[in-house]
Amino acid sequence: MFSGARAETVAELVGTASLLDFPPGSRILDLCCGPGLFLVPLAARGHRVTGVDLSPAMLERAGTACREAGAADVELVRADMLTYVAPDSYDVILNVFTSFGYFENPDDNLQVLRNAWRSLAPGGRLLVDVMGKEVLAGWIGRPQAVDLPDGSYVVQRDTVLDSWRRLRTDWTLVRGSTARTASIRSFLYSAAELHDLFLAAGFADVECFGDFDGGPYDQTSRRLIVRGVRK
Ligand SMILES: C[S@@+](CC[C@H](N)C(=O)[O-])C[C@H]1O[C@@H](n2cnc3c(N)ncnc32)[C@H](O)[C@@H]1O
Protein backbone atom coordinates (compact mmCIF):
# COMPACT_ATOMS: atom_id res chain seq x y z
CA MET A 1 0.00 0.00 0.00
CA PHE A 2 2.83 2.40 0.84
CA SER A 3 5.62 1.02 -1.35
CA GLY A 4 8.53 3.06 -2.68
CA ALA A 5 7.08 2.60 -6.16
CA ARG A 6 3.82 4.22 -5.04
CA ALA A 7 5.74 7.14 -3.54
CA GLU A 8 7.31 7.76 -6.97
CA THR A 9 3.92 7.49 -8.70
CA VAL A 10 2.39 9.97 -6.25
CA ALA A 11 5.28 12.42 -6.69
CA GLU A 12 4.79 12.31 -10.46
CA LEU A 13 1.03 12.71 -10.06
CA VAL A 14 1.42 15.79 -7.86
CA GLY A 15 3.73 17.30 -10.48
CA THR A 16 1.47 16.69 -13.46
CA ALA A 17 -2.20 16.14 -12.56
CA SER A 18 -4.53 19.04 -13.27
CA LEU A 19 -6.76 18.35 -10.24
CA LEU A 20 -3.66 18.64 -8.02
CA ASP A 21 -2.40 21.84 -9.63
CA PHE A 22 -2.94 24.52 -6.98
CA PRO A 23 -1.75 28.14 -6.84
CA PRO A 24 1.70 28.44 -5.21
CA GLY A 25 1.57 28.78 -1.45
CA SER A 26 -1.85 27.11 -1.08
CA ARG A 27 -2.75 25.93 2.39
CA ILE A 28 -3.33 22.19 1.90
CA LEU A 29 -4.58 19.64 4.40
CA ASP A 30 -3.97 15.96 3.64
CA LEU A 31 -6.68 14.38 5.78
CA CYS A 32 -5.61 10.82 6.63
CA CYS A 33 -2.10 11.46 5.34
CA GLY A 34 -0.69 8.02 6.18
CA PRO A 35 3.10 7.91 5.72
CA GLY A 36 3.13 11.24 3.91
CA LEU A 37 3.33 10.21 0.27
CA PHE A 38 1.41 13.33 -0.81
CA LEU A 39 2.86 15.66 1.85
CA VAL A 40 6.41 15.59 0.52
CA PRO A 41 5.75 16.46 -3.15
CA LEU A 42 3.11 19.04 -2.20
CA ALA A 43 5.59 20.76 0.12
CA ALA A 44 8.24 20.58 -2.61
CA ARG A 45 5.91 22.60 -4.84
CA GLY A 46 5.87 25.37 -2.27
CA HIS A 47 2.52 24.74 -0.64
CA ARG A 48 1.88 25.13 3.08
CA VAL A 49 1.05 21.57 4.02
CA THR A 50 -0.59 19.92 7.02
CA GLY A 51 -1.04 16.18 7.49
CA VAL A 52 -3.64 14.74 9.84
CA ASP A 53 -3.78 11.08 10.76
CA LEU A 54 -5.01 9.05 13.71
CA SER A 55 -2.13 6.58 13.71
CA PRO A 56 1.05 7.58 15.61
CA ALA A 57 3.01 5.03 13.58
CA MET A 58 1.87 6.62 10.30
CA LEU A 59 2.65 10.10 11.60
CA GLU A 60 6.11 8.97 12.60
CA ARG A 61 6.71 7.64 9.10
CA ALA A 62 5.35 10.87 7.63
CA GLY A 63 7.66 12.91 9.90
CA THR A 64 10.68 10.87 8.82
CA ALA A 65 9.74 11.19 5.13
CA CYS A 66 9.35 14.97 5.47
CA ARG A 67 12.64 15.37 7.36
CA GLU A 68 14.54 13.25 4.83
CA ALA A 69 13.07 15.30 1.98
CA GLY A 70 13.95 18.59 3.66
CA ALA A 71 10.26 19.47 4.10
CA ALA A 72 10.69 20.63 7.68
CA ASP A 73 7.72 23.04 7.57
CA VAL A 74 5.08 20.36 7.12
CA GLU A 75 2.76 20.36 10.11
CA LEU A 76 1.67 16.95 11.40
CA VAL A 77 -1.33 16.58 13.66
CA ARG A 78 -2.61 13.49 15.38
CA ALA A 79 -6.39 13.72 15.18
CA ASP A 80 -9.54 11.79 14.31
CA MET A 81 -11.18 12.94 11.09
CA LEU A 82 -14.52 12.52 12.86
CA THR A 83 -13.75 15.47 15.11
CA TYR A 84 -10.92 17.41 13.44
CA VAL A 85 -11.99 20.94 12.52
CA ALA A 86 -9.71 23.94 11.96
CA PRO A 87 -12.17 26.66 10.93
CA ASP A 88 -11.45 28.55 7.66
CA SER A 89 -7.86 27.29 7.60
CA TYR A 90 -7.28 25.60 4.24
CA ASP A 91 -7.56 26.31 0.53
CA VAL A 92 -7.55 22.62 -0.32
CA ILE A 93 -8.35 19.46 1.61
CA LEU A 94 -7.33 16.11 0.13
CA ASN A 95 -8.65 12.77 1.33
CA VAL A 96 -7.07 10.20 -0.93
CA PHE A 97 -6.43 6.52 -1.57
CA THR A 98 -9.71 5.34 -0.04
CA SER A 99 -9.45 7.09 3.30
CA PHE A 100 -13.18 7.80 3.50
CA GLY A 101 -16.20 5.80 4.63
CA TYR A 102 -14.52 4.17 7.62
CA PHE A 103 -17.26 4.83 10.19
CA GLU A 104 -19.98 2.28 10.97
CA ASN A 105 -22.61 5.00 11.32
CA PRO A 106 -23.24 6.65 7.93
CA ASP A 107 -23.92 9.99 9.66
CA ASP A 108 -20.33 9.98 10.92
CA ASN A 109 -19.02 9.78 7.35
CA LEU A 110 -21.19 12.77 6.47
CA GLN A 111 -19.77 14.53 9.56
CA VAL A 112 -16.26 14.14 8.11
CA LEU A 113 -17.38 16.08 5.03
CA ARG A 114 -19.07 18.70 7.21
CA ASN A 115 -15.84 19.09 9.21
CA ALA A 116 -13.91 19.54 5.96
CA TRP A 117 -16.40 22.20 4.79
CA ARG A 118 -15.83 24.14 8.03
CA SER A 119 -12.04 23.76 7.81
CA LEU A 120 -11.94 25.23 4.29
CA ALA A 121 -11.71 28.94 3.67
CA PRO A 122 -14.48 30.30 1.41
CA GLY A 123 -13.64 29.24 -2.15
CA GLY A 124 -11.65 26.25 -0.88
CA ARG A 125 -11.98 22.77 -2.36
CA LEU A 126 -12.29 19.25 -0.99
CA LEU A 127 -11.19 16.26 -3.08
CA VAL A 128 -12.09 12.74 -1.98
CA ASP A 129 -10.55 9.82 -3.87
CA VAL A 130 -12.06 6.37 -3.34
CA MET A 131 -12.68 3.11 -5.14
CA GLY A 132 -16.11 3.83 -6.58
CA LYS A 133 -18.77 1.16 -6.26
CA GLU A 134 -19.04 0.97 -10.05
CA VAL A 135 -15.27 0.41 -10.41
CA LEU A 136 -15.20 -2.22 -7.72
CA ALA A 137 -18.07 -4.10 -9.35
CA GLY A 138 -15.85 -4.54 -12.43
CA TRP A 139 -13.14 -6.55 -10.75
CA ILE A 140 -14.31 -7.78 -7.35
CA GLY A 141 -14.02 -11.51 -6.92
CA ARG A 142 -10.71 -11.80 -8.78
CA PRO A 143 -8.01 -13.06 -6.40
CA GLN A 144 -5.28 -10.52 -5.77
CA ALA A 145 -1.81 -11.37 -4.52
CA VAL A 146 1.23 -9.12 -4.27
CA ASP A 147 4.77 -10.49 -3.92
CA LEU A 148 7.02 -8.55 -1.55
CA PRO A 149 10.79 -8.14 -2.01
CA ASP A 150 11.59 -10.33 1.02
CA GLY A 151 9.84 -13.36 -0.48
CA SER A 152 6.63 -12.96 1.52
CA TYR A 153 3.34 -12.14 -0.16
CA VAL A 154 0.00 -10.53 0.61
CA VAL A 155 -3.35 -11.89 -0.51
CA GLN A 156 -6.30 -9.48 -0.59
CA ARG A 157 -9.89 -10.66 -0.46
CA ASP A 158 -12.89 -8.35 -0.75
CA THR A 159 -16.38 -9.23 0.49
CA VAL A 160 -19.45 -7.16 -0.29
CA LEU A 161 -21.67 -6.59 2.76
CA ASP A 162 -25.17 -5.21 3.36
CA SER A 163 -26.35 -5.31 -0.26
CA TRP A 164 -23.39 -3.30 -1.58
CA ARG A 165 -23.52 -0.67 1.16
CA ARG A 166 -20.24 -1.76 2.68
CA LEU A 167 -17.11 -3.75 1.92
CA ARG A 168 -14.85 -5.88 4.06
CA THR A 169 -11.28 -6.18 2.86
CA ASP A 170 -9.09 -8.90 4.36
CA TRP A 171 -5.36 -8.93 3.83
CA THR A 172 -3.31 -12.01 4.67
CA LEU A 173 0.46 -11.63 4.89
CA VAL A 174 2.16 -14.98 4.32
CA ARG A 175 5.77 -15.06 5.47
CA GLY A 176 7.41 -18.48 5.55
CA SER A 177 5.11 -20.71 7.54
CA THR A 178 3.26 -17.89 9.31
CA ALA A 179 0.20 -15.94 8.21
CA ARG A 180 -1.23 -12.75 9.68
CA THR A 181 -4.58 -11.26 8.72
CA ALA A 182 -5.92 -7.72 9.00
CA SER A 183 -9.35 -6.45 7.96
CA ILE A 184 -11.05 -3.15 7.25
CA ARG A 185 -14.75 -2.48 6.79
CA SER A 186 -15.77 0.62 4.92
CA PHE A 187 -18.78 2.14 3.21
CA LEU A 188 -18.96 1.94 -0.55
CA TYR A 189 -20.17 4.89 -2.60
CA SER A 190 -21.36 5.18 -6.16
CA ALA A 191 -20.56 8.47 -7.85
CA ALA A 192 -24.15 9.65 -7.36
CA GLU A 193 -24.13 8.71 -3.68
CA LEU A 194 -20.86 10.48 -2.88
CA HIS A 195 -21.90 13.47 -4.99
CA ASP A 196 -25.13 13.77 -2.94
CA LEU A 197 -23.20 13.38 0.32
CA PHE A 198 -21.04 16.38 -0.68
CA LEU A 199 -24.22 18.38 -1.33
CA ALA A 200 -25.65 17.32 2.05
CA ALA A 201 -22.47 18.58 3.72
CA GLY A 202 -22.94 22.00 2.12
CA PHE A 203 -20.56 21.80 -0.86
CA ALA A 204 -21.31 23.53 -4.17
CA ASP A 205 -20.08 22.89 -7.73
CA VAL A 206 -19.73 19.19 -6.95
CA GLU A 207 -18.10 17.18 -9.77
CA CYS A 208 -17.04 13.56 -10.25
CA PHE A 209 -13.87 12.52 -12.07
CA GLY A 210 -12.26 9.21 -13.01
CA ASP A 211 -8.66 10.31 -12.50
CA PHE A 212 -6.57 13.20 -11.20
CA ASP A 213 -6.21 14.57 -14.72
CA GLY A 214 -9.89 15.49 -14.60
CA GLY A 215 -11.03 12.68 -16.93
CA PRO A 216 -14.69 11.65 -16.77
CA TYR A 217 -15.91 8.98 -14.38
CA ASP A 218 -16.98 6.29 -16.83
CA GLN A 219 -16.55 2.62 -17.76
CA THR A 220 -12.76 3.01 -18.10
CA SER A 221 -12.17 4.62 -14.69
CA ARG A 222 -10.12 3.00 -11.97
CA ARG A 223 -10.87 5.55 -9.24
CA LEU A 224 -13.71 7.87 -8.23
CA ILE A 225 -12.67 11.41 -7.34
CA VAL A 226 -15.30 13.83 -6.09
CA ARG A 227 -14.54 17.53 -5.76
CA GLY A 228 -16.68 20.18 -4.11
CA VAL A 229 -16.25 23.86 -3.33
CA ARG A 230 -17.04 25.69 -0.12
CA LYS A 231 -18.77 28.82 -1.37
C1 LIG B 1 -5.59 3.78 3.12
S1 LIG B 1 -4.59 4.77 4.16
C2 LIG B 1 -4.24 6.10 3.06
C3 LIG B 1 -3.12 6.98 3.51
C4 LIG B 1 -2.73 8.13 2.56
N1 LIG B 1 -3.87 9.00 2.27
C5 LIG B 1 -2.09 7.65 1.28
O1 LIG B 1 -2.51 8.07 0.19
O2 LIG B 1 -1.11 6.89 1.35
C6 LIG B 1 -5.75 5.42 5.32
C7 LIG B 1 -5.17 6.26 6.43
O3 LIG B 1 -6.26 6.74 7.23
C8 LIG B 1 -5.85 6.78 8.59
N2 LIG B 1 -7.07 6.80 9.42
C9 LIG B 1 -7.92 5.78 9.65
N3 LIG B 1 -8.95 6.19 10.43
C10 LIG B 1 -8.74 7.50 10.69
C11 LIG B 1 -9.44 8.49 11.44
N4 LIG B 1 -10.58 8.19 12.06
N5 LIG B 1 -8.94 9.75 11.50
C12 LIG B 1 -7.77 10.06 10.87
N6 LIG B 1 -7.04 9.15 10.17
C13 LIG B 1 -7.52 7.89 10.06
C14 LIG B 1 -4.99 5.54 8.73
O4 LIG B 1 -4.13 5.63 9.86
C15 LIG B 1 -4.24 5.53 7.40
O5 LIG B 1 -3.03 6.23 7.50
Side-chain angles (χ1 to χ4, degrees), residues 79-90 111 114-119:
D80 190 332
M81 63 177 153
L82 183 56
T83 52
Y84 179 79
V85 179
D88 299 344
S89 296
Y90 301 106
Q111 186 60 44
R114 289 199 168 115
N115 294 346
W117 189 94
R118 286 180 59 203
S119 295

Side-chain angles (χ1 to χ4, degrees), residues 13 16-22 125 211-215 227:
L13 195 67
T16 57
S18 59
L19 294 190
L20 298 174
D21 185 17
F22 310 117
R125 287 168 277 178
D211 57 47
F212 280 104
D213 289 323
R227 183 178 70 183

